[in-house]
Amino acid sequence: MATALKIAPPEDKISNFVSRTHRILINGKWVEAASGKTFATYNPATGEVLARVAEGDREDIDRAVKAARAAFETGRWSQLTPSERGRAIWKLADLLEENLEEFAELESLDNGKPLKVARVADVPLAVDLFRYFAGWATKIEGNTIPISVPYAAGAKFLAYTLREPVGVVGQIIPWNFPLLMAAWKLGPALATGNTVVLKPAEQTPLTALRLGELFQEAGFPDGVVNIVPGYGETAGAALAAHPGVDKIAFTGSTEVGKLILQAAAGNLKKVSLELGGKSPNVVFADVDLEDAIAGAASAIFFNHGQCCCAGSRLYVENSIFDKVVEGVAEHANKINVGSGQDEATDMGPLVSAEQLNRVCGYLESGISEGAKAVVGGGRHGDKGYFVKPTVLVNTTEKMKVVQEEIFGPVVTAIPFSDPAELVTQANDTVYGLAAGIWTRDIQKAHRLASQLRAGTVWINCYNIFDAALPFGGYKQSGWGREMGHEVLEQYTEVKAVCTAL
Ligand code: NDP
């Protein structure tokens, strides 16, 4: 298997896929949008048109939801044995692994991320995720519950719970890890017997569409997985509001998360949200300096800072502040910024012109308010959507660059001396997704881990993800958890059954 992974797909396979006009997957068929419209996606390294994609809208969403409903009601997925469902998901994982190189190339073209990163992170993590949830398909269990019933003296009952699928699930995903976010959403939904309508981000639909083909190849029944590319304000909003959808799962900005919640109120569909972050990464003076500097740099610069959990607020104990800032700046200087397709590239472009403007806008705002860029501070080159890896100092707590999610390769470095004040500062954000702690003192590490209001705390590491580890946010970073066994609760209803004996 290991050798199979290294085989590169023929170049024409990728270009044939990219250059076709992409359609919508509804009920096992690839169809044009009801409106006949298509939209363009762009190569973020050049700004040139990359692909044309059917523009799904309300009517397409409606058809997809009806297909998912029919697939659910007929039980062609939920009534398979758990073992059959698990094997189908495992087969999908095998197919994805066999096509690893192709998926890595598509992801790199579409999103801009370095091919070498997609090859070792995005695609293998997605494969692993599907395998993990293939295993769960046979382990969705309820409980037997001893009950007392005070008003029925002497009566005996057998009471138990069943975990059943929620039904038709709408899933809306972002562009920062397009394939992996599709996997995070689809894996648990399918393992628990739901049927799905997935809307990928307008910037990065290609790997989701190719994944749709693999679902067909793996033998998933028609209508179980429907994929509708399109815009958020049209297709996404229609999915969130659709009365035939039982649950909506969303990853993206906190702002849109709130819109999803409003849209979901119509039929009170279940909602899970994985939203933004402004995560504190704390470095104590007793640390292994080299490790902490490398860790702090990768916490913010991985995926060009386009991570909801990016370590974007770097708090460093006073006595080592200058050394750490200098070290992170050195790392930033060594980052090779270029096209994701180039094997030498460490950091590709941001995903879109919109993100480029947004991140540069934050940089201008921070610098105009008195922040200083020790390294970086603006756009890289004049073609494509590249931004220089940036370290900002001289910030104040109320600046936008310290409070708001920038979603680019920009870290604000802030000195601290009093650990109690540090806790207040680190928690002074509307977000609560992740945090990092760097110290050799385990007592200090675990004490701070318990004080930070965040869904994930990494100690002497950062950006460690695993299908078995739950991920999600406190406060405005979201509702519910992705991955781990915790996510299964988001995709199942609990039925209590009580029998008089
Ligand atoms: P959005 O939150 O707008 O996009 C995420 C997904 O939601 C996309 O599929 C998008 O569709 C869809 N969407 C947008 N509007 C609606 C709507 N009204 N109803 C239903 N779905 C909708 O993120 P952006 O792409 O605009 O990025 C803006 C900022 O959001 C980033 O700078 C970053 O701060 C944050 N973000 C956070 C992410 C995370 O992982 N938590 C991921 C991405 C962004 P489409 O793209 O087709 O419009």
Side-chain angles (χ1 to χ4, degrees):
M1 190 50 82
T3 47
L5 297 184
K6 291 194 181 123
I7 297 170
E11 257 179 42
D12 57 354
K13 188 175 177 195
I14 309 259
S15 56
N16 284 346
F17 179 78
V18 172
S19 62
R20 73 172 73 144
T21 298
H22 297 275
R23 294 178 165 207
I24 301 175
L25 179 60
I26 298 178
N27 206 24
K29 309 237 162 9
W30 292 96
V31 296
E32 288 179 9
S35 66
K37 285 195 207 163
T38 61
F39 66 98
T41 67
Y42 298 89
N43 179 339
T46 61
E48 287 158 9
V49 171
L50 176 67
R52 290 218 70 89
V53 182
E55 187 189 323
D57 203 334
R58 182 173 302 276
E59 196 175 333
D60 308 285
I61 289 289
D62 187 52
R63 287 181 188 169
V65 170
K66 286 183 175 139
R69 172 62 57 197
F72 184 72
E73 299 299 341
T74 57
R76 68 182 90 125
W77 180 245
S78 61
Q79 295 304 312
L80 290 182
T81 67
S83 170
E84 284 168 333
R85 276 207 308 276
R87 270 182 286 156
I89 299 171
W90 193 279
K91 184 160 183 202
L92 178 88
D94 284 348
L95 289 171
L96 186 56
E97 191 171 53
E98 279 166 30
N99 292 283
L100 186 148
E101 189 63 25
E102 182 194 352
F103 272 85
E105 288 200 26
L106 286 176
E107 202 73 317
S108 166
L109 275 171
D110 214 13
N111 163 281
K113 66 180 66 199
L115 178 52
K116 67 185 180 196
V117 173
R119 202 182 268 145
V120 300
D122 299 65
V123 190
L125 279 168
V127 170
D128 200 47
L129 189 296
F130 281 122
R131 294 216 172 109
Y132 175 80
F133 283 102
W136 268 114
T138 47
K139 297 161 197 74
I140 311 298
E141 296 168 350
N143 297 312
T144 52
I145 302 168
I147 57 174
S148 306
V149 199
Y151 54 82
K156 294 261 182 246
F157 299 93
L158 169 64
Y160 60 92
T161 54
L162 297 171
R163 281 205 169 265
E164 298 182 339
V166 174
V168 173
V169 175
Q171 303 186 318
I172 300 175
I173 55 171
W175 42 259
N176 52 345
F177 294 89
L179 173 69
L180 188 58
M181 291 303 100
W184 279 23
K185 295 276 182 279
L186 289 162
L190 294 171
T192 44
N194 299 279
T195 59
V196 176
V197 177
L198 175 81
K199 193 207 84 67
E202 71 192 54
Q203 300 85 350
T204 56
L206 293 185
T207 46
L209 294 168
R210 181 73 182 101
L211 193 65
E213 295 183 346
L214 295 194
F215 274 108
Q216 294 181 298
E217 201 178 329
F220 277 68
D222 292 348
V224 172
V225 175
N226 304 275
I227 302 176
V228 185
Y231 294 120
E233 309 81 64
T234 53
L239 185 58
H242 200 292
V245 172
D246 299 300
K247 177 207 159 59
I248 190 96
F250 171 78
T251 295
S253 60
T254 293
E255 193 188 345
V256 173
K258 290 177 184 175
L259 295 178
I260 300 283
L261 205 51
Q262 287 166 13
N267 68 333
L268 283 182
K269 53 177 70 70
K270 312 276 182 276
V271 179
S272 53
L273 304 168
E274 200 262 277
L275 306 175
K278 190 74 185 174
S279 300
N281 194 14
V282 180
V283 181
F284 287 100
D286 63 18
V287 81
D288 175 321
L289 212 52
E290 211 176 302
D291 277 3
I293 288 171
S298 116
I300 183 63
F301 298 134
F302 174 63
N303 211 42
H304 329 166
Q306 300 171 133
C307 292
C308 46
C309 55
S312 51
R313 290 183 296 144
L314 179 62
Y315 291 98
V316 185
E317 200 159 359
N318 247 329
S319 59
I320 57 162
F321 181 75
D322 290 345
K323 273 194 200 144
V324 171
V325 168
E326 196 182 309
V328 175
E330 251 174 58
H331 272 265
N333 266 324
K334 285 190 194 141
I335 290 173
N336 194 0
V337 179
S339 162
Q341 297 285 293
D342 185 338
E343 293 286 351
T345 292
D346 303 314
M347 185 185 284
L350 299 187
V351 74
S352 63
E354 197 183 348
Q355 279 304 113
L356 174 68
N357 292 335
R358 196 182 149 93
V359 173
C360 289
Y362 273 114
L363 288 172
E364 280 159 25
S365 133
I367 290 165
S368 73
E369 286 179 313
K372 179 179 159 222
V374 179
V375 64
R379 187 174 181 185
H380 172 97
D382 54 10
K383 194 176 166 205
Y385 314 136
F386 299 91
V387 168
K388 293 176 187 158
T390 298
V391 179
L392 294 178
V393 293
N394 294 350
T395 56
T396 59
E397 280 301 300
K398 295 298 161 214
M399 281 184 188
K400 266 166 56 168
V401 286
V402 177
Q403 288 298 326
E404 296 182 16
E405 183 175 49
I406 298 177
F407 228 62
V410 181
V411 65
T412 56
I414 303 158
F416 75 88
S417 49
D418 177 352
E421 264 175 38
L422 164 77
V423 174
T424 311
Q425 264 184 310
N427 285 332
D428 181 19
T429 164
V430 297
Y431 297 113
L433 194 56
I437 300 171
W438 298 83
T439 175
R440 286 182 165 125
D441 179 339
I442 54 163
Q443 219 177 0
K444 202 192 280 179
H446 291 293
R447 192 182 311 126
L448 181 56
S450 73
Q451 291 167 319
L452 292 174
R453 305 273 300 150
T456 294
V457 179
W458 286 295
I459 298 174
N460 295 333
C461 60
Y462 209 94
N463 281 332
I464 299 299
F465 292 98
D466 191 275
L469 208 53
F471 182 81
Y474 284 34
K475 300 193 270 183
Q476 293 189 34
S477 287
W479 287 4
R481 293 292 176 271
E482 309 275 347
M483 304 192 288
H485 59 78
E486 281 80 0
V487 72
L488 300 169
E489 283 167 31
Q490 321 281 332
Y491 287 98
T492 49
E493 294 277 18
V494 176
K495 181 179 282 174
V497 181
C498 183
T499 318
L501 296 179

